[in-house]
Amino acid sequence: MVKKSTYADILEIAYRLFAEHGFDKTSMSMISKELKMTKPALYYHFPSKNSIIDALFNEICQSIRFEYFFDITSYTKQNFEQQFINDGLKILAAQQTDEYYARIMNQYQALGYREVHYAQTLINILEGFQTGFEKLLQYGASCEVVHTQDLSLAAQTLTMIIDGMDNFVGYGFHYRYEDIWIKTVQTIIKGD
Amino acid sequence: MVKKSTYADILEIAYRLFAEHGFDKTSMSMISKELKMTKPALYYHFPSKNSIIDALFNEICQSIRFEYFFDITSYTKQNFEQQFINDGLKILAAQQTDEYYARIMNQYQALGYREVHYAQTLINILEGFQTGFEKLLQYGASCEVVHTQDLSLAAQTLTMIIDGMDNFVGYGFHYRYEDIWIKTVQTIIKGD
DNA sequence: GTCTATAATTTGATAGAC
DNA sequence: GTCTATCAAATTATAGAC
């Protein structure tokens, strides 16, 4: 067992506690207790509770960008549909392995309603998906493998489906997510 | 200007404050101040802050059930597609007129992660949509107007789209929601 | 880097008068 | 139904010793 840095320890513990109890009901006392250190020791590493919340936010946002899951350079005319389906399912799989993900994101969304900085970052991520999907579909159309006319609308639909799957998974719904994704992608590829 | 009941006044003010500042950062002092009464006066009407949150929750849940928007008895073979589209757009319109709706629901979702009672009620509502859509599609299939084979999958997709539209509207995304809904419904009706 | 001790503030909630 | 006054508890954050 390698000793991780205190900084990383704090973020890991805070992530779990924030998910379980929420930002507001997780006090610095709770975090320090769980870390087996005292409150002032915790304050030595982070100047405030908000700075922990922010550090966590930045770390999470790095790992959920469109480019993290979809690599446009790996797409060809031959593998297009399969690759598209697989890359989307990677997101689903990632979320399903992190039981706290949805709870945490729900709270950052709430923060976003009150502080534009959070909202803007989250909006940028979702816009990354939308424009990413659009570029991918444009490439597909140029290969004559995508037949939908309205690529922009298709990209919006895909973004909403991806976001919706995250939400529903996090809420414990046992939907047939794989099938929903596959069918949505196939319908768009096939065109009207 | 008719004088509403104090009870209703409190819920109206609390709804706005909860949306603007969140449950935790909205204190009973803030609510009473906004109502131009004192804190103990507020406590006379509601025994606790949680009881306000609960009363609001019950009121909201009444107004977002599937049956509130979709009346299956009004569907015929002739009007099926148009009626389906219109009823879905009614939800979208309702949400767009209430600027606080998404913020409030985001918080009840967060509560649901910590107290099953909230989660169960929200899940019931979403399940109401899913089974409602399925029944509607079944009726459509019996009229030979719906041609999708997998009605259950279609119902799940529709539920996710409805929920996703609420989320995205609330976050200020200017998506082409009407078109997304229309196209989704038409694709399902048309079948593979 | 970690500790003890404590300041400063806010909160949800109540007693009791009118 | 509304008020003044107040409580007990909890919270974020800091001073200062080791």
Side-chain angles (χ1 to χ4, degrees), chain B residues 29-76:
Chain B
S29 306
M30 286 169 67
I31 298 173
S32 63
K33 187 173 285 177
E34 203 81 1
L35 283 157
K36 280 159 186 131
M37 54 169 66
T38 57
K39 213 165 26 154
L42 176 54
Y43 270 98
Y44 173 82
H45 295 279
F46 287 92
S48 69
K49 188 166 119 176
N50 264 325
S51 67
I52 302 183
I53 294 174
D54 280 353
L56 229 32
F57 187 56
N58 292 331
E59 218 181 52
I60 293 168
C61 288
Q62 292 304 321
S63 68
I64 56 171
R65 306 204 89 88
F66 178 82
E67 294 77 13
Y68 191 84
F69 298 100
F70 291 85
D71 176 14
I72 193 166
T73 64
S74 71
Y75 281 70
T76 66

Tab-separated table of all heavy atoms in Angstrom, chain B residues 29-76:
chain	number	residue	atom	x	y	z
B	29	SER	N	-35.017	32.690	9.016
B	29	SER	CA	-34.949	34.148	9.152
B	29	SER	C	-35.190	34.834	7.816
B	29	SER	O	-35.946	35.803	7.727
B	29	SER	CB	-33.575	34.564	9.684
B	29	SER	OG	-33.281	33.891	10.870
B	30	MET	N	-34.523	34.315	6.782
B	30	MET	CA	-34.688	34.917	5.462
B	30	MET	C	-36.142	34.852	5.011
B	30	MET	O	-36.686	35.824	4.478
B	30	MET	CB	-33.805	34.187	4.443
B	30	MET	CG	-32.328	34.495	4.549
B	30	MET	SD	-31.349	33.363	3.523
B	30	MET	CE	-31.864	33.876	1.879
B	31	ILE	N	-36.737	33.690	5.195
B	31	ILE	CA	-38.121	33.514	4.750
B	31	ILE	C	-39.044	34.470	5.504
B	31	ILE	O	-39.886	35.146	4.907
B	31	ILE	CB	-38.576	32.058	4.953
B	31	ILE	CG1	-37.704	31.108	4.114
B	31	ILE	CG2	-40.034	31.881	4.562
B	31	ILE	CD1	-37.969	29.636	4.363
B	32	SER	N	-38.868	34.531	6.818
B	32	SER	CA	-39.761	35.385	7.606
B	32	SER	C	-39.551	36.862	7.253
B	32	SER	O	-40.503	37.632	7.173
B	32	SER	CB	-39.547	35.155	9.100
B	32	SER	OG	-38.243	35.521	9.479
B	33	LYS	N	-38.307	37.228	7.015
B	33	LYS	CA	-38.031	38.616	6.658
B	33	LYS	C	-38.724	38.982	5.339
B	33	LYS	O	-39.364	40.022	5.217
B	33	LYS	CB	-36.521	38.833	6.540
B	33	LYS	CG	-36.121	40.277	6.332
B	33	LYS	CD	-34.600	40.467	6.397
B	33	LYS	CE	-34.072	40.388	7.817
B	33	LYS	NZ	-32.603	40.500	7.901
B	34	GLU	N	-38.610	38.092	4.379
B	34	GLU	CA	-39.226	38.333	3.064
B	34	GLU	C	-40.748	38.428	3.182
B	34	GLU	O	-41.405	39.111	2.404
B	34	GLU	CB	-38.834	37.193	2.118
B	34	GLU	CG	-38.898	37.532	0.645
B	34	GLU	CD	-37.637	38.282	0.197
B	34	GLU	OE1	-36.732	38.513	1.028
B	34	GLU	OE2	-37.574	38.627	-0.982
B	35	LEU	N	-41.286	37.718	4.163
B	35	LEU	CA	-42.735	37.712	4.376
B	35	LEU	C	-43.162	38.906	5.243
B	35	LEU	O	-44.351	39.090	5.517
B	35	LEU	CB	-43.161	36.422	5.072
B	35	LEU	CG	-43.226	35.162	4.202
B	35	LEU	CD1	-43.105	33.918	5.069
B	35	LEU	CD2	-44.512	35.135	3.411
B	36	LYS	N	-42.195	39.648	5.696
B	36	LYS	CA	-42.454	40.777	6.604
B	36	LYS	C	-43.128	40.318	7.888
B	36	LYS	O	-44.038	40.976	8.380
B	36	LYS	CB	-43.261	41.861	5.897
B	36	LYS	CG	-42.360	42.737	5.021
B	36	LYS	CD	-43.132	43.460	3.947
B	36	LYS	CE	-42.170	44.200	3.015
B	36	LYS	NZ	-42.421	43.949	1.607
B	37	MET	N	-42.697	39.180	8.371
B	37	MET	CA	-43.143	38.763	9.698
B	37	MET	C	-41.896	38.268	10.440
B	37	MET	O	-40.804	38.288	9.896
B	37	MET	CB	-44.193	37.655	9.621
B	37	MET	CG	-43.783	36.420	8.809
B	37	MET	SD	-44.902	35.017	8.992
B	37	MET	CE	-46.391	35.605	8.258
B	38	THR	N	-42.073	37.902	11.698
B	38	THR	CA	-40.917	37.441	12.459
B	38	THR	C	-40.808	35.920	12.403
B	38	THR	O	-41.730	35.231	11.968
B	38	THR	CB	-41.012	37.876	13.930
B	38	THR	OG1	-42.219	37.372	14.463
B	38	THR	CG2	-40.928	39.372	14.051
B	39	LYS	N	-39.680	35.448	12.858
B	39	LYS	CA	-39.419	34.018	12.782
B	39	LYS	C	-40.447	33.193	13.565
B	39	LYS	O	-40.990	32.218	13.019
B	39	LYS	CB	-37.990	33.737	13.272
B	39	LYS	CG	-37.373	32.593	12.566
B	39	LYS	CD	-35.858	32.458	12.709
B	39	LYS	CE	-35.217	33.028	13.926
B	39	LYS	NZ	-33.946	32.314	14.222
B	40	PRO	N	-40.742	33.556	14.804
B	40	PRO	CA	-41.736	32.773	15.541
B	40	PRO	C	-43.098	32.759	14.849
B	40	PRO	O	-43.821	31.758	14.941
B	40	PRO	CB	-41.798	33.475	16.895
B	40	PRO	CG	-40.471	34.099	17.040
B	40	PRO	CD	-40.088	34.544	15.664
B	41	ALA	N	-43.472	33.848	14.199
B	41	ALA	CA	-44.739	33.859	13.468
B	41	ALA	C	-44.720	32.810	12.370
B	41	ALA	O	-45.710	32.100	12.142
B	41	ALA	CB	-44.984	35.242	12.863
B	42	LEU	N	-43.581	32.718	11.717
B	42	LEU	CA	-43.444	31.698	10.674
B	42	LEU	C	-43.550	30.294	11.274
B	42	LEU	O	-44.211	29.415	10.705
B	42	LEU	CB	-42.090	31.886	9.975
B	42	LEU	CG	-41.676	30.881	8.906
B	42	LEU	CD1	-42.732	30.741	7.821
B	42	LEU	CD2	-40.349	31.317	8.290
B	43	TYR	N	-42.933	30.125	12.426
B	43	TYR	CA	-42.980	28.813	13.080
B	43	TYR	C	-44.388	28.458	13.546
B	43	TYR	O	-44.684	27.302	13.814
B	43	TYR	CB	-41.998	28.773	14.267
B	43	TYR	CG	-40.618	28.306	13.863
B	43	TYR	CD1	-39.595	29.222	13.612
B	43	TYR	CD2	-40.335	26.948	13.723
B	43	TYR	CE1	-38.332	28.801	13.236
B	43	TYR	CE2	-39.081	26.519	13.358
B	43	TYR	CZ	-38.076	27.450	13.113
B	43	TYR	OH	-36.827	27.029	12.737
B	44	TYR	N	-45.235	29.464	13.677
B	44	TYR	CA	-46.623	29.174	14.035
B	44	TYR	C	-47.309	28.404	12.901
B	44	TYR	O	-48.120	27.521	13.131
B	44	TYR	CB	-47.370	30.478	14.315
B	44	TYR	CG	-48.849	30.289	14.526
B	44	TYR	CD1	-49.351	29.899	15.757
B	44	TYR	CD2	-49.745	30.475	13.470
B	44	TYR	CE1	-50.708	29.716	15.943
B	44	TYR	CE2	-51.104	30.293	13.653
B	44	TYR	CZ	-51.579	29.907	14.894
B	44	TYR	OH	-52.926	29.718	15.072
B	45	HIS	N	-46.954	28.721	11.666
B	45	HIS	CA	-47.611	28.093	10.508
B	45	HIS	C	-46.946	26.791	10.096
B	45	HIS	O	-47.607	25.866	9.646
B	45	HIS	CB	-47.613	29.068	9.329
B	45	HIS	CG	-48.431	30.282	9.566
B	45	HIS	ND1	-49.793	30.302	9.423
B	45	HIS	CD2	-48.083	31.521	9.975
B	45	HIS	CE1	-50.259	31.504	9.716
B	45	HIS	NE2	-49.236	32.274	10.051
B	46	PHE	N	-45.647	26.731	10.244
B	46	PHE	CA	-44.929	25.498	9.914
B	46	PHE	C	-44.012	25.132	11.083
B	46	PHE	O	-43.217	25.964	11.517
B	46	PHE	CB	-44.103	25.676	8.639
B	46	PHE	CG	-44.920	25.727	7.387
B	46	PHE	CD1	-45.358	26.944	6.889
B	46	PHE	CD2	-45.257	24.561	6.712
B	46	PHE	CE1	-46.130	26.992	5.736
B	46	PHE	CE2	-46.017	24.604	5.555
B	46	PHE	CZ	-46.451	25.828	5.067
B	47	PRO	N	-44.087	23.915	11.551
B	47	PRO	CA	-43.318	23.527	12.731
B	47	PRO	C	-41.815	23.438	12.493
B	47	PRO	O	-41.050	23.397	13.444
B	47	PRO	CB	-43.886	22.157	13.088
B	47	PRO	CG	-44.443	21.638	11.808
B	47	PRO	CD	-44.948	22.827	11.063
B	48	SER	N	-41.404	23.412	11.250
B	48	SER	CA	-39.974	23.303	10.965
B	48	SER	C	-39.701	23.686	9.522
B	48	SER	O	-40.627	23.802	8.708
B	48	SER	CB	-39.492	21.871	11.202
B	48	SER	OG	-40.042	21.022	10.225
B	49	LYS	N	-38.450	23.898	9.230
B	49	LYS	CA	-38.075	24.213	7.853
B	49	LYS	C	-38.375	23.028	6.938
B	49	LYS	O	-38.859	23.194	5.818
B	49	LYS	CB	-36.588	24.571	7.806
B	49	LYS	CG	-36.133	25.106	6.459
B	49	LYS	CD	-34.768	25.765	6.582
B	49	LYS	CE	-33.737	25.083	5.734
B	49	LYS	NZ	-32.434	25.783	5.774
B	50	ASN	N	-38.112	21.836	7.459
B	50	ASN	CA	-38.380	20.641	6.661
B	50	ASN	C	-39.841	20.513	6.271
B	50	ASN	O	-40.158	20.006	5.197
B	50	ASN	CB	-37.943	19.387	7.431
B	50	ASN	CG	-36.551	18.953	7.016
B	50	ASN	OD1	-36.181	19.084	5.848
B	50	ASN	ND2	-35.768	18.476	7.962
B	51	SER	N	-40.728	20.951	7.146
B	51	SER	CA	-42.150	20.827	6.820
B	51	SER	C	-42.526	21.742	5.656
B	51	SER	O	-43.432	21.437	4.885
B	51	SER	CB	-43.011	21.122	8.049
B	51	SER	OG	-42.882	22.480	8.398
B	52	ILE	N	-41.821	22.857	5.527
B	52	ILE	CA	-42.061	23.724	4.359
B	52	ILE	C	-41.570	23.021	3.104
B	52	ILE	O	-42.257	22.978	2.082
B	52	ILE	CB	-41.340	25.081	4.510
B	52	ILE	CG1	-41.808	25.795	5.783
B	52	ILE	CG2	-41.598	25.962	3.290
B	52	ILE	CD1	-41.193	27.174	5.965
B	53	ILE	N	-40.369	22.463	3.209
B	53	ILE	CA	-39.797	21.758	2.062
B	53	ILE	C	-40.711	20.615	1.627
B	53	ILE	O	-40.934	20.402	0.435
B	53	ILE	CB	-38.390	21.237	2.426
B	53	ILE	CG1	-37.433	22.415	2.658
B	53	ILE	CG2	-37.857	20.297	1.351
B	53	ILE	CD1	-36.052	22.016	3.154
B	54	ASP	N	-41.266	19.917	2.594
B	54	ASP	CA	-42.151	18.792	2.277
B	54	ASP	C	-43.467	19.242	1.654
B	54	ASP	O	-43.950	18.638	0.692
B	54	ASP	CB	-42.435	17.983	3.548
B	54	ASP	CG	-41.301	17.045	3.878
B	54	ASP	OD1	-40.368	16.928	3.053
B	54	ASP	OD2	-41.332	16.417	4.956
B	55	ALA	N	-44.045	20.290	2.220
B	55	ALA	CA	-45.317	20.783	1.683
B	55	ALA	C	-45.145	21.206	0.224
B	55	ALA	O	-45.979	20.912	-0.635
B	55	ALA	CB	-45.814	21.950	2.521
B	56	LEU	N	-44.023	21.864	-0.041
B	56	LEU	CA	-43.715	22.292	-1.405
B	56	LEU	C	-43.559	21.073	-2.317
B	56	LEU	O	-44.077	21.043	-3.438
B	56	LEU	CB	-42.404	23.087	-1.362
B	56	LEU	CG	-42.298	24.444	-2.040
B	56	LEU	CD1	-43.596	25.191	-2.029
B	56	LEU	CD2	-41.203	25.253	-1.362
B	57	PHE	N	-42.870	20.090	-1.810
B	57	PHE	CA	-42.617	18.873	-2.592
B	57	PHE	C	-43.942	18.216	-3.001
B	57	PHE	O	-44.139	17.868	-4.165
B	57	PHE	CB	-41.786	17.910	-1.755
B	57	PHE	CG	-41.321	16.685	-2.484
B	57	PHE	CD1	-40.590	16.783	-3.652
B	57	PHE	CD2	-41.620	15.428	-1.988
B	57	PHE	CE1	-40.154	15.646	-4.325
B	57	PHE	CE2	-41.189	14.282	-2.656
B	57	PHE	CZ	-40.458	14.398	-3.811
B	58	ASN	N	-44.842	18.079	-2.043
B	58	ASN	CA	-46.133	17.441	-2.335
B	58	ASN	C	-46.912	18.228	-3.380
B	58	ASN	O	-47.498	17.651	-4.299
B	58	ASN	CB	-46.950	17.304	-1.049
B	58	ASN	CG	-46.326	16.317	-0.098
B	58	ASN	OD1	-45.652	15.368	-0.509
B	58	ASN	ND2	-46.505	16.540	1.198
B	59	GLU	N	-46.890	19.546	-3.230
B	59	GLU	CA	-47.619	20.383	-4.180
B	59	GLU	C	-47.059	20.216	-5.603
B	59	GLU	O	-47.805	20.067	-6.563
B	59	GLU	CB	-47.503	21.846	-3.747
B	59	GLU	CG	-48.777	22.629	-3.972
B	59	GLU	CD	-48.610	24.081	-3.554
B	59	GLU	OE1	-47.653	24.721	-4.002
B	59	GLU	OE2	-49.455	24.571	-2.774
B	60	ILE	N	-45.731	20.251	-5.706
B	60	ILE	CA	-45.100	20.129	-7.018
B	60	ILE	C	-45.393	18.770	-7.644
B	60	ILE	O	-45.742	18.667	-8.816
B	60	ILE	CB	-43.574	20.329	-6.899
B	60	ILE	CG1	-43.257	21.769	-6.493
B	60	ILE	CG2	-42.876	19.988	-8.219
B	60	ILE	CD1	-41.813	21.981	-6.064
B	61	CYS	N	-45.256	17.731	-6.823
B	61	CYS	CA	-45.437	16.373	-7.357
B	61	CYS	C	-46.838	16.159	-7.922
B	61	CYS	O	-47.035	15.365	-8.841
B	61	CYS	CB	-45.131	15.342	-6.272
B	61	CYS	SG	-43.362	15.233	-5.922
B	62	GLN	N	-47.814	16.857	-7.336
B	62	GLN	CA	-49.170	16.750	-7.868
B	62	GLN	C	-49.247	17.251	-9.305
B	62	GLN	O	-50.044	16.748	-10.098
B	62	GLN	CB	-50.154	17.567	-7.018
B	62	GLN	CG	-50.372	17.032	-5.619
B	62	GLN	CD	-50.838	15.597	-5.616
B	62	GLN	OE1	-51.636	15.198	-6.451
B	62	GLN	NE2	-50.304	14.787	-4.700
B	63	SER	N	-48.430	18.233	-9.623
B	63	SER	CA	-48.607	18.942	-10.899
B	63	SER	C	-47.693	18.452	-12.012
B	63	SER	O	-47.650	19.051	-13.081
B	63	SER	CB	-48.359	20.440	-10.679
B	63	SER	OG	-46.991	20.653	-10.390
B	64	ILE	N	-46.975	17.375	-11.756
B	64	ILE	CA	-46.079	16.915	-12.827
B	64	ILE	C	-46.260	15.441	-13.155
B	64	ILE	O	-45.358	14.801	-13.679
B	64	ILE	CB	-44.593	17.175	-12.467
B	64	ILE	CG1	-44.230	16.514	-11.139
B	64	ILE	CG2	-44.294	18.649	-12.445
B	64	ILE	CD1	-42.733	16.546	-10.840
B	65	ARG	N	-47.406	14.908	-12.818
B	65	ARG	CA	-47.676	13.504	-13.131
B	65	ARG	C	-48.020	13.350	-14.612
B	65	ARG	O	-48.549	14.271	-15.237
B	65	ARG	CB	-48.817	12.962	-12.272
B	65	ARG	CG	-48.611	13.155	-10.775
B	65	ARG	CD	-49.407	12.154	-9.975
B	65	ARG	NE	-48.636	10.948	-9.751
B	65	ARG	CZ	-47.804	10.766	-8.703
B	65	ARG	NH1	-47.669	11.697	-7.805
B	65	ARG	NH2	-47.123	9.648	-8.590
B	66	PHE	N	-47.747	12.185	-15.122
B	66	PHE	CA	-48.013	11.875	-16.532
B	66	PHE	C	-49.439	12.226	-16.933
B	66	PHE	O	-49.667	12.884	-17.955
B	66	PHE	CB	-47.742	10.387	-16.769
B	66	PHE	CG	-48.019	9.937	-18.166
B	66	PHE	CD1	-47.095	10.125	-19.181
B	66	PHE	CD2	-49.226	9.320	-18.480
B	66	PHE	CE1	-47.348	9.704	-20.475
B	66	PHE	CE2	-49.488	8.900	-19.777
B	66	PHE	CZ	-48.550	9.091	-20.770
B	67	GLU	N	-50.396	11.809	-16.101
B	67	GLU	CA	-51.816	11.985	-16.433
B	67	GLU	C	-52.200	13.463	-16.506
B	67	GLU	O	-53.227	13.820	-17.094
B	67	GLU	CB	-52.703	11.285	-15.387
B	67	GLU	CG	-52.566	9.778	-15.379
B	67	GLU	CD	-51.289	9.307	-14.682
B	67	GLU	OE1	-50.649	10.122	-13.997
B	67	GLU	OE2	-50.925	8.127	-14.871
B	68	TYR	N	-51.385	14.296	-15.888
B	68	TYR	CA	-51.656	15.728	-15.910
B	68	TYR	C	-51.455	16.293	-17.318
B	68	TYR	O	-52.065	17.297	-17.689
B	68	TYR	CB	-50.719	16.413	-14.920
B	68	TYR	CG	-51.035	17.845	-14.631
B	68	TYR	CD1	-51.983	18.188	-13.676
B	68	TYR	CD2	-50.379	18.869	-15.300
B	68	TYR	CE1	-52.275	19.507	-13.394
B	68	TYR	CE2	-50.661	20.194	-15.024
B	68	TYR	CZ	-51.604	20.507	-14.076
B	68	TYR	OH	-51.889	21.824	-13.810
B	69	PHE	N	-50.597	15.642	-18.097
B	69	PHE	CA	-50.281	16.151	-19.440
B	69	PHE	C	-50.846	15.279	-20.559
B	69	PHE	O	-51.202	15.771	-21.613
B	69	PHE	CB	-48.764	16.270	-19.595
B	69	PHE	CG	-48.126	17.229	-18.654
B	69	PHE	CD1	-47.483	16.794	-17.509
B	69	PHE	CD2	-48.185	18.593	-18.895
B	69	PHE	CE1	-46.889	17.692	-16.626
B	69	PHE	CE2	-47.595	19.504	-18.016
B	69	PHE	CZ	-46.950	19.054	-16.885
B	70	PHE	N	-50.887	13.974	-20.313
B	70	PHE	CA	-51.333	13.044	-21.351
B	70	PHE	C	-52.660	12.408	-20.952
B	70	PHE	O	-52.739	11.727	-19.926
B	70	PHE	CB	-50.291	11.937	-21.556
B	70	PHE	CG	-49.011	12.411	-22.183
B	70	PHE	CD1	-47.992	12.962	-21.412
B	70	PHE	CD2	-48.811	12.312	-23.562
B	70	PHE	CE1	-46.813	13.406	-21.986
B	70	PHE	CE2	-47.632	12.752	-24.143
B	70	PHE	CZ	-46.633	13.292	-23.353
B	71	ASP	N	-53.700	12.648	-21.743
B	71	ASP	CA	-55.002	12.040	-21.484
B	71	ASP	C	-55.263	10.990	-22.562
B	71	ASP	O	-55.662	11.306	-23.687
B	71	ASP	CB	-56.094	13.109	-21.511
B	71	ASP	CG	-57.475	12.500	-21.346
B	71	ASP	OD1	-57.554	11.309	-20.954
B	71	ASP	OD2	-58.464	13.214	-21.603
B	72	ILE	N	-55.045	9.739	-22.174
B	72	ILE	CA	-55.108	8.651	-23.154
B	72	ILE	C	-56.474	8.542	-23.815
B	72	ILE	O	-56.591	8.140	-24.973
B	72	ILE	CB	-54.716	7.297	-22.495
B	72	ILE	CG1	-54.478	6.219	-23.562
B	72	ILE	CG2	-55.771	6.840	-21.498
B	72	ILE	CD1	-53.779	4.986	-23.014
B	73	THR	N	-57.525	8.950	-23.101
B	73	THR	CA	-58.877	8.805	-23.676
B	73	THR	C	-59.115	9.775	-24.826
B	73	THR	O	-60.084	9.633	-25.577
B	73	THR	CB	-59.954	9.063	-22.597
B	73	THR	OG1	-59.866	10.420	-22.158
B	73	THR	CG2	-59.772	8.127	-21.410
B	74	SER	N	-58.246	10.778	-24.969
B	74	SER	CA	-58.461	11.740	-26.055
B	74	SER	C	-57.752	11.326	-27.347
B	74	SER	O	-57.819	12.038	-28.348
B	74	SER	CB	-57.970	13.120	-25.615
B	74	SER	OG	-56.556	13.124	-25.548
B	75	TYR	N	-57.073	10.181	-27.308
B	75	TYR	CA	-56.305	9.746	-28.481
B	75	TYR	C	-57.147	8.889	-29.425
B	75	TYR	O	-57.879	8.002	-28.988
B	75	TYR	CB	-55.067	8.958	-28.044
B	75	TYR	CG	-53.934	9.833	-27.572
B	75	TYR	CD1	-54.033	10.532	-26.374
B	75	TYR	CD2	-52.766	9.972	-28.323
B	75	TYR	CE1	-53.009	11.350	-25.926
B	75	TYR	CE2	-51.731	10.788	-27.882
B	75	TYR	CZ	-51.850	11.473	-26.690
B	75	TYR	OH	-50.839	12.279	-26.254
B	76	THR	N	-57.044	9.178	-30.714
B	76	THR	CA	-57.693	8.357	-31.743
B	76	THR	C	-56.649	7.980	-32.792
B	76	THR	O	-55.533	8.502	-32.784
B	76	THR	CB	-58.816	9.139	-32.454
B	76	THR	OG1	-58.213	10.224	-33.176
B	76	THR	CG2	-59.829	9.677	-31.451
